[in-house]
Amino acid sequence: MLNEWLLAFARWLDGFSWSTQLHESFYMYAWIESTHVLTLMVFLGMLFIIDLRMLGFAFTGVPASTIAERLDLPMKIGMTIMVLTGFVLFFAIPVRSTQSIWFRMKVILMIGAIVNALIFRRKMLAAKGSAWDRDAKMPGDLRVGAGLSLGLWSAIVITGRTIAYDWYDCFQKLPYFMYWAAGCVDEMAALDRQGG
Amino acid sequence: MDVFWFFDWLDTSLLADISKAYGGVFAVVQMFHLLGLALMGGSVLLSDLRFLGVVMTDVPSKVVFDNTQKLFTLALVVLVLSGIFMASAVALKLYYNEAFWAKMAGLGLGILFVYLIRKPLFTRFDHDSISPAAVKVAALCSLTIWFTVAASGRWIGFS
């Protein structure tokens, strides 16, 4: 059911002339895509430095809360640009993205990363004034959060990159489960008819 | 100096056998390239914005520089190694690609700038003894060079 709804939503977006124009314009699409990718340097760059500080690999001489607080704004600026350009990229190619197993994995991983960030953030804010704020290595739960953050964002980068590959696109011959996971509604129906 | 022989060799090397045959391996290596980009961009931005007085102004610039320089070198190694692997998949195409040579020119300039000027300047001298204008010019040069390298690198994919 969800697959049908998502596909209907994607087809509705696809009906806008702006969507097609964006997709077909060489420079505009390339500029937005480049902005999305290059903003990795601002968003993930800051995030990595915060995570590496928590793990005791960088800026060990500076209190952890100072790093987290000072880099918060640049990180959020980068995040805002990535989210906005990400939505525009999705709007330009809605149907194929909705039916991309990689895009779906990326969205699930992002939800995981957001949940982790919210938990991690609360603990990090508690660091200020604590006895261990100046320690090179943070307490175990903060290190787990930082490690998870690095792992999840690495996975988000790779799934983001692999959206461009057509290995598991709907037009490929795939098992039923893969069609379901990618939301290839029509292909599932075709297999159902064959089976029935 | 014509370096065609290098690209010709790379195109038929063992690396190329792997990078051309296994899309999945290529994608994983490219992930490391992108993570390296994030780390390098993060360290360049952080140190240069500190020099420009935009972020972390309450932390001494020496501390920011020393920490980010280590991350920069690590990121550079990851980027160059993963970059050579990625190049092996399309070596001959790259030889004739303008965006690729723009990137290589920027990269060469950037490496010379970092290890011959930026690093000696900010490691050997007390930061307060350097003219504030020189510090800012160095920061702007660094930002410009590395942004050009990253942007022309992305453009290789479109050209």
Side-chain angles (χ1 to χ4, degrees):
Chain A
M1 186 55 102
L2 183 61
N3 270 332
E4 280 85 355
W5 286 346
L6 289 172
L7 185 60
F9 174 67
R11 284 189 174 143
W12 174 71
L13 287 180
D14 200 40
F16 287 88
S17 62
W18 271 45
S19 168
T20 315
Q21 281 171 14
L22 264 173
H23 184 193
E24 290 182 352
S25 97
F26 178 79
Y27 282 107
M28 200 58 200
Y29 186 81
W31 275 100
I32 294 168
E33 221 253 9
S34 299
T35 307
H36 189 70
V37 176
L38 296 183
T39 312
L40 270 179
M41 298 189 283
V42 186
F43 173 55
L44 279 196
M46 297 302 138
L47 185 110
F48 281 180
I49 289 170
I50 296 174
D51 288 343
L52 291 174
R53 169 64 187 90
M54 300 298 155
L55 292 170
F57 293 126
F59 284 99
T60 44
V62 183
S65 63
T66 306
I67 295 291
E69 279 177 10
R70 301 300 177 271
L71 300 190
D72 199 46
L73 182 65
M75 184 176 74
K76 277 183 185 154
I77 294 172
M79 189 176 73
T80 309
I81 300 172
M82 291 205 87
V83 169
L84 290 177
T85 49
F87 272 113
V88 177
L89 289 171
F90 177 76
F91 177 65
I93 310 182
V95 175
R96 183 174 180 267
S97 305
T98 303
Q99 294 189 319
S100 159
I101 189 115
W102 303 113
F103 180 77
R104 290 171 167 227
M105 282 162 64
K106 181 176 178 178
V107 171
I108 293 167
L109 288 164
M110 280 198 288
I111 294 170
I114 291 167
V115 171
N116 180 56
L118 291 175
I119 300 169
F120 181 59
R121 217 180 144 77
R122 220 184 38 220
K123 286 182 191 154
M124 212 163 55
L125 289 174
K128 201 174 183 183
S130 70
W132 36 268
D133 196 11
R134 288 182 172 276
D135 289 355
K137 257 192 190 171
M138 294 288 101
D141 52 349
L142 268 176
R143 273 185 285 146
V144 170
L148 267 176
S149 163
L150 286 174
L152 283 166
W153 284 106
S154 304
I156 292 166
V157 167
I158 189 165
T159 45
R161 177 63 191 91
T162 41
I163 293 171
Y165 293 101
D166 65 2
W167 307 325
Y168 302 111
D169 274 15
C170 289
F171 70 83
Q172 307 276 15
K173 200 165 167 50
L174 301 172
Y176 192 84
F177 169 77
M178 289 295 284
Y179 281 142
W180 171 79
C184 304
V185 174
D186 297 340
E187 288 75 6
M188 281 162 76
L191 280 186
D192 282 339
R193 278 197 298 277
Q194 277 173 18
Chain B
M1 185 183 69
D2 193 4
V3 289
F4 181 80
W5 61 269
F6 175 74
F7 290 83
D8 197 34
W9 166 79
L10 189 59
D11 187 56
T12 52
S13 65
L14 176 67
L15 273 186
D17 290 344
I18 301 169
S19 62
K20 286 177 192 178
Y22 303 103
V25 177
F26 185 86
V28 170
V29 174
Q30 201 166 40
M31 173 194 77
F32 282 104
H33 202 69
L34 287 168
L35 296 180
L37 169 85
L39 191 58
M40 176 184 271
S43 48
V44 168
L45 271 172
L46 190 54
S47 51
D48 288 332
L49 291 179
R50 172 63 188 84
F51 286 135
L52 292 171
V54 181
V55 292
M56 296 238 280
T57 41
D58 55 346
V59 177
S61 61
K62 172 92 178 135
V63 172
V64 176
F65 176 77
D66 289 347
N67 277 285
T68 50
Q69 182 59 36
K70 269 183 259 167
L71 296 176
F72 176 88
T73 304
L74 170 70
L76 185 66
V77 171
V78 172
L79 283 165
V80 169
L81 292 179
S82 56
I84 293 173
F85 179 84
M86 285 158 61
S88 74
V90 283
L92 291 178
K93 189 181 161 200
L94 286 180
Y95 180 78
Y96 296 104
N97 184 303
E98 281 186 14
F100 173 75
W101 288 110
K103 177 175 181 173
M104 289 305 111
L107 177 64
L109 182 68
I111 290 174
L112 291 177
F113 175 74
V114 167
Y115 293 102
L116 294 182
I117 300 174
R118 192 173 187 262
K119 190 167 178 240
L121 178 69
F122 293 123
T123 351
R124 287 185 201 164
F125 298 93
D126 179 8
H127 290 198
D128 291 332
S129 71
I130 310 168
S131 123
V135 171
K136 288 190 166 56
V137 168
L140 288 174
C141 283
S142 163
L143 283 173
T144 312
I145 292 172
W146 293 111
F147 177 75
T148 310
V149 175
S152 51
R154 183 64 201 93
W155 214 259
I156 295 172
F158 294 127
S159 52

